[in-house]
Amino acid sequence: MAGKPVRPVNAIDQTRRMLSLVTYLKERPGARVEDVARAFGISEDELVSDLDVLPMCGTSFRGGDLLDIDTDGERIWWHNPDDVAEPLRIAADEATALLVAARAVATLPGLRESDRQALLRATAKVETASGEAAGASARLSVTFEAEGGVFADVDRAISERRRLWIRYYSPARDEVTEREIDPIRLVSVGHTYVEAWCRRSEARRTFRLDRVAEIKILDEPSAPPEVELRDLSEGLVQPAAEDPEVVVEVGPGGRWVAEYYPHDSADELTDGGLRITLRTPDPASLRRLALRLGRDGRIVSPPELADSARQAAREALAAYDGVEVQESHGTRVVQERQGDRQEQGL
């Protein structure tokens, strides 16, 4: 809902809400979307997002008895509540997978102790009910990569409303920076990100978890400004109308840019290429795109960005041993210090 203040949400709170939602909907067939959203204190968009996930859940890892829930935008219908309500019976391999996953999650750093203890109690009950399968699961273990620890710290910071300090790698600038951020929410769009208020840039920023080199939970309280949560259904990158405009011309080999970058227009060129107009809050990040395109594209405007991209290309070429880069009347010439290969017929 427009203008609604940000409410910190984490994965565990969302899971609790969705479990309660299952019971709520079972008792209220044809419930109105607006009434359910109001009952759970969330926006209608958040509720619809939960409803998109619920049909992928069920009482078996193999599927076949998933929740058959849908909505027409006004009401919510659950078509198979009686089937799903049958007592849960899991096979040995399902019990093994469940126990291994539960033990792995319980070891995550940053997990709230109350949640860890609740998970361990539930694991013990599953072990008792699983019999021999529990013994097999004890011989298996899972180790999370670094992103798992970062996720746990971010999740904990959101729950406890505390600020984070991070060392973050930005591939657009090829540099690592230190930042203090007030986390707002975790989102998953291909990769997992934390949307946060960055104290360094004094703006809302999105950070990919696998690019966080180091993270610390600070004692300072997290106090992001009240901002409207973005709808990410159309993708993570959604340029704003006030973002700077950049024009890129690409040849036939660079037409893929129009598929991967949100843009305002893509006009055909006579050589089979495209003249692409796009917007970005960080035009400097497109220098790497220009280097990647090479002869298949160039930045046309703004002029300062085009000059910056040309300079980056010259420096990249000059970094190779034995290569000298000159520019004359807008034409770039690369020469070998050992001699001109063209004169030698190579």
Side-chain angles (χ1 to χ4, degrees):
M1 293 182 181
K4 185 170 183 177
V6 169
R7 297 175 298 98
V9 177
N10 59 65
I12 293 176
D13 289 338
Q14 184 180 20
T15 301
R16 288 171 174 158
R17 182 179 72 228
M18 292 177 69
L19 290 173
S20 299
L21 186 59
V22 169
T23 302
Y24 186 94
L25 294 177
K26 184 176 184 298
E27 297 173 352
R28 296 168 177 81
R32 297 181 63 84
V33 170
E34 59 180 336
D35 294 338
V36 178
R38 188 183 305 110
F40 282 83
I42 58 178
S43 71
E44 292 182 19
D45 287 341
E46 288 176 298
L47 174 59
V48 171
S49 179
D50 286 350
L51 295 177
D52 288 339
V53 175
L54 281 177
M56 295 183 284
C57 305
T59 58
S60 172
F61 297 157
R62 296 185 177 87
D65 52 2
L66 302 180
L67 304 182
D68 187 5
I69 296 177
D70 64 35
T71 176
D72 59 5
E74 295 185 2
R75 294 184 178 275
I76 305 169
W77 303 97
W78 186 354
H79 303 291
N80 63 340
D82 294 333
D83 294 340
V84 176
E86 294 178 356
L88 174 63
R89 293 181 175 85
I90 57 177
D93 60 336
E94 293 175 325
T96 299
L98 180 61
L99 289 169
V100 170
R103 293 191 188 109
V105 172
T107 64
L108 282 175
L111 188 65
R112 285 173 290 185
E113 188 58 29
S114 59
D115 292 322
R116 191 191 312 277
Q117 293 303 320
L119 179 59
L120 292 175
R121 288 194 297 271
T123 303
K125 292 178 181 179
V126 175
E127 287 176 342
T128 301
S130 300
E132 295 181 1
S137 69
R139 296 190 291 271
L140 300 174
S141 63
V142 173
T143 302
F144 287 100
E145 296 181 357
E147 182 177 323
V150 173
F151 181 98
D153 283 341
V154 173
D155 185 64
R156 177 184 169 193
I158 292 173
S159 300
E160 299 178 3
R161 302 193 178 190
R162 292 166 63 183
R163 187 172 298 175
L164 288 167
W165 172 89
I166 61 173
R167 289 181 63 245
Y168 186 76
Y169 171 68
S170 174
R173 297 183 178 83
D174 192 25
E175 65 178 3
V176 176
T177 57
E178 296 184 7
R179 303 167 184 260
E180 288 190 9
I181 62 173
D182 292 339
I184 297 173
R185 60 172 174 168
L186 285 159
V187 295
S188 180
V189 185
H191 295 276
T192 306
Y193 301 81
V194 55
E195 191 173 9
W197 185 262
C198 177
R199 293 291 168 178
R200 172 176 169 166
S201 58
E202 288 298 317
R204 178 167 53 182
R205 292 288 185 265
T206 305
F207 302 96
R208 209 168 103 176
L209 297 196
D210 61 353
R211 291 177 179 162
V212 175
E214 188 177 355
I215 185 170
K216 296 177 183 177
I217 301 177
L218 303 178
D219 292 332
E220 287 85 353
S222 172
E226 290 187 359
V227 294
E228 182 180 352
L229 290 177
R230 298 183 300 162
D231 178 9
L232 300 178
S233 60
E234 298 298 324
L236 188 67
V237 180
Q238 300 174 33
E242 63 271 15
D243 288 341
E245 183 181 272
V246 178
V247 178
V248 180
E249 288 187 354
V250 300
R255 292 179 67 95
W256 58 267
V257 174
E259 300 177 9
Y260 284 86
Y261 286 80
H263 55 276
D264 295 337
S265 63
D267 301 321
E268 294 285 344
L269 298 176
T270 55
D271 64 351
L274 294 172
R275 182 182 177 91
I276 302 169
T277 302
L278 53 86
R279 296 182 181 277
T280 173
D282 185 15
S285 64
L286 294 182
R287 282 198 302 263
R288 290 176 67 87
L289 172 63
L291 292 174
R292 180 179 177 185
L293 285 169
R295 66 179 64 188
D296 286 326
R298 68 188 183 97
I299 294 175
V300 177
S301 67
E304 59 272 17
L305 179 59
D307 292 340
S308 174
R310 282 194 291 270
Q311 180 61 30
R314 287 196 294 268
E315 292 174 354
L317 287 171
Y320 288 93
D321 290 337
V323 174
E324 202 172 75
V325 180
Q326 300 175 351
E327 186 164 324
S328 175
H329 303 294
T331 301
R332 189 170 59 206
V333 180
V334 181
Q335 296 178 326
E336 293 284 347
R337 290 196 182 98
Q338 288 81 3
D340 190 342
R341 288 188 175 182
Q342 187 174 12
E343 291 182 356
Q344 298 174 12
L346 299 179

